[in-house]
Amino acid sequence: MAKKILIVGGGYAGFYTAWKLEKLLRAGEAEVTIVDPLPYLAYLPFLPEVAAGSIEPRHAVVARRRHLKRTANVAGKVTGISHATKTATITPNEGEAYEFAYDQIVVTTGSVSRTFPIAGIADNAIGMKTIEEAVAVRDRIVGNFERAASLPAGSAERARLLTITVVGGGFAGIETISELRSFATSLLRRYPEITFDETQFHLVEAMGRIMPEVSQETADWVVKDQTRRGVNIHLDTQLSSAVDGKIELSTGENYESDLIVWTAGVMPRPFLRGTDLPIGPRGHVIGSPTLQITTEDGDVVEGAWTAGDTSQTPDISSTPGPGGFCVPNAQHAVRQGRLLAKNIAASLRGEGVAEYNHKNQGAVAGLGMNTGVFQSGKFAMRGYIAWLAHRFYHGLAIPTWERKWRVFGGWVGHFFLGRDVVNIEATQQPRAIFEEFASRPKPAAE
Ligand SMILES: Cc1cc2nc3c(=O)[nH]c(=O)nc-3n(C[C@H](O)[C@H](O)[C@H](O)COP(=O)(O)OP(=O)(O)OC[C@H]3O[C@@H](n4cnc5c(N)ncnc54)[C@H](O)[C@@H]3O)c2cc1C
């Protein structure tokens, strides 16, 4: 009997697990099913560039049905797991929830934005964790330029539309604010009605420094470089309130901002606490270096595996992350996914499993057009060369050649034709024009 392997979540870790299993499993050895409400893996490091119009949104996602040919794809969410009975509850995007029996389960549900109860954030801010958010941010910026251009110069509404706030000075936050600043600067060429000084960009960071993944020297360089480009970086500052876009900072500063992007941290999905899987103090599934789920005492939970952002995997390399666990990044998710597939195949065959031991290879970030940073140990690159390294690394890292070609093709197109500034925000109301002119039946006579 073929064993049933259920992969919960088809992002980085889940996609790579399934992809590798397709290569490793012999015919009839196991059936693999992947459940995810979205039909694609989103290549999250590209989100800031999608938001800045440098990458087409569709190019930054990888369709699972095209590339996972021997895996059953289910469009829906796993909403419950009873590992004691080896059943998962699947709630499909359409139709009734049902129970799915499995032999092996792989939990790779990633993470969501972690917010704090700051007034106005839940109602007014947006994250930078999904392709939908990145597209909405891009459309909002171009749409706001359009709206602001027709308002009187100096009006409060115009100033609000042209003010952008990003909360969180980690990698995602810094990449987001820098890409958006770079995008807005390039938009100014098409909107002569708006001046550079009217476009205000604020980065709010509670700590005294940004980007903990790079050295202090590199972080200081980024602050200086981005300040020169027109980003107002508030260090040692907390966001106190954002009600109706009225920003209040812990320093006493106030201003109005139409677009607030929240990037200050991530957390595992809360539904996991309702399952019978062992969960750590911060909501992660407790993992082990072999990527098997374990109890708090370290006993292996048979037939259960985890990887990526959702897992609390001990980092046994020579460069462990905070608390001794692997940090939530794609470097780990991809490599863990591949090893997880190997370990599942080995365990099905009664062979030994290997431990995950990956030494951090460094960090690379794009900080708007033609500038970036790269840091590996003490070695750092800044500016144009680092930006090229960022583009080459990520252009080649997105899974499948089909996607790599699309991304590089887009960049080449932009090099010759410039950034695409077209605003198709109206796609959010696609029926509006049809409905306006559509004939309706006359009301029946009395
Ligand atoms: C803006 C940004 C920039 C980044 N840049 C970098 C970078 O430069 N380098 C780097 O190494 N890392 C980077 N990261 C981090 C990296 O993208 C993540 O660590 C990585 O995506 C984690 O992979 P994952 O498989 O754990 O989760 P994800 O890739 O998020 O996948 C999780 C999947 O699970 C699905 N899912 C969720 N709940 C359920 C459920 N109940 N049932 C079924 N499916 C479910 C989701 O729909 C999703 O498809 C960045 C992240 C962001 C947000």
Side-chain angles (χ1 to χ4, degrees):
M1 279 280 284
K3 297 285 181 197
K4 285 194 173 172
I5 302 173
L6 176 65
I7 303 178
V8 188
Y12 271 89
F15 181 91
Y16 274 90
T17 303
W19 215 18
K20 189 81 184 165
L21 277 172
E22 290 197 352
K23 290 174 193 138
L24 294 173
L25 291 175
R26 300 177 192 131
E29 201 169 17
E31 288 167 8
V32 183
T33 302
I34 202 162
V35 185
D36 196 307
L38 302 169
Y40 47 74
L41 165 161
Y43 192 83
L44 305 187
F46 279 155
L47 296 187
E49 280 190 72
V50 169
S54 290
I55 296 179
E56 282 303 306
R58 266 190 280 259
H59 297 176
V61 298
V62 182
R64 273 191 302 276
R65 280 184 185 264
R66 176 163 179 172
H67 295 285
L68 297 180
K69 300 197 174 91
R70 293 171 52 210
T71 303
N73 278 280
V74 176
K77 275 185 188 167
V78 166
T79 46
I81 298 169
S82 163
H83 194 64
T85 56
K86 290 204 170 172
T87 47
T89 309
I90 297 178
T91 305
N93 290 350
E94 293 294 331
E96 297 290 310
Y98 61 92
E99 302 292 297
F100 184 96
Y102 61 80
D103 297 295
Q104 307 274 335
I105 192 165
V106 178
V107 183
T108 46
T109 45
S111 55
V112 290
S113 299
R114 178 174 57 101
T115 53
F116 309 115
I118 299 169
I121 281 298
D123 299 321
N124 298 303
I126 186 166
M128 187 54 72
K129 279 284 291 165
T130 66
I131 196 77
E132 294 76 13
E133 289 170 330
V135 171
V137 166
R138 180 195 180 277
D139 285 351
R140 182 83 156 261
I141 290 184
V142 190
N144 279 3
F145 264 66
E146 205 71 65
R147 287 181 276 274
S150 55
L151 288 170
S155 72
E157 177 60 4
R158 179 163 155 140
R160 193 179 66 86
L161 289 171
L162 296 173
T163 302
I164 289 154
T165 304
V166 174
V167 188
F171 244 68
I174 294 296
E175 284 192 303
T176 301
I177 193 98
S178 328
E179 288 289 351
L180 297 184
R181 174 68 267 181
S182 164
F183 183 35
T185 304
S186 75
L187 277 178
L188 287 170
R189 260 178 271 144
R190 316 289 171 205
Y191 291 86
E193 305 92 326
I194 299 172
T195 64
F196 181 88
D197 289 343
E198 283 183 286
T199 57
Q200 293 289 318
F201 283 75
H202 297 270
L203 187 280
V204 183
E205 168 53 50
M207 314 275 283
R209 62 162 292 178
I210 57 163
M211 301 173 102
E213 301 86 346
V214 301
S215 69
Q216 182 72 51
E217 205 188 349
T218 305
D220 290 344
W221 180 84
V222 174
V223 171
K224 217 166 137 194
D225 185 54
Q226 288 302 316
T227 306
R228 184 176 63 81
R229 289 168 196 271
V231 178
N232 195 343
I233 299 184
H234 306 260
L235 295 178
D236 288 317
T237 306
Q238 286 167 19
L239 179 69
S240 310
S241 178
V243 176
D244 297 331
K246 294 186 179 76
I247 301 287
E248 288 175 25
L249 301 181
S250 55
T251 51
E253 275 174 87
N254 297 301
Y255 60 86
E256 291 201 26
S257 179
D258 184 70
L259 179 59
I260 305 161
V261 186
W262 182 274
T263 65
V266 295
M267 64 178 189
R269 281 180 161 76
F271 90 96
L272 290 164
R273 287 189 186 276
T275 69
D276 62 357
L277 296 174
I279 303 295
R282 294 174 62 207
H284 299 87
V285 179
I286 301 180
S288 61
T290 56
L291 308 173
Q292 286 161 300
I293 295 177
T294 63
T295 63
E296 274 176 47
D297 299 331
D299 297 329
V300 168
V301 177
E302 189 269 322
W305 308 79
T306 188
D309 285 11
T310 206
S311 69
Q312 181 185 296
T313 302
D315 188 345
I316 59 171
S317 73
S318 55
T319 52
F325 297 111
C326 294
V327 293
N329 70 23
Q331 256 186 64
H332 287 308
V334 167
R335 287 171 180 80
Q336 288 175 351
R338 288 197 196 114
L339 177 68
L340 206 159
K342 281 188 197 164
N343 280 352
I344 290 187
S347 79
L348 290 180
R349 294 165 194 163
E351 297 164 6
V353 290
E355 291 194 330
Y356 178 74
N357 185 346
H358 167 67
K359 190 168 178 289
N360 187 0
Q361 291 184 328
V364 62
L367 301 174
M369 199 58 82
N370 299 330
T371 186
V373 287
F374 167 76
Q375 178 103 39
S376 178
K378 288 194 177 144
F379 177 72
M381 286 194 300
R382 300 164 194 161
Y384 186 66
I385 298 289
W387 176 78
L388 280 181
H390 157 80
R391 283 217 158 169
F392 270 99
Y393 173 79
H394 284 296
L396 290 174
I398 188 168
T400 80
W401 279 102
E402 178 252 335
R403 248 38 199 173
K404 296 184 212 302
W405 280 116
R406 289 185 202 269
V407 170
F408 277 113
W411 283 334
V412 171
H414 285 189
F415 179 76
F416 289 108
L417 305 170
R419 243 191 263 233
D420 192 347
V421 299
V422 71
N423 176 13
I424 51 170
E425 229 181 349
T427 50
Q428 285 161 23
Q429 285 90 36
R431 292 191 62 257
I433 190 97
F434 179 82
E435 218 177 334
E436 185 181 346
F437 298 106
S439 302
R440 293 180 190 276
K442 287 201 176 102
E446 285 287 306

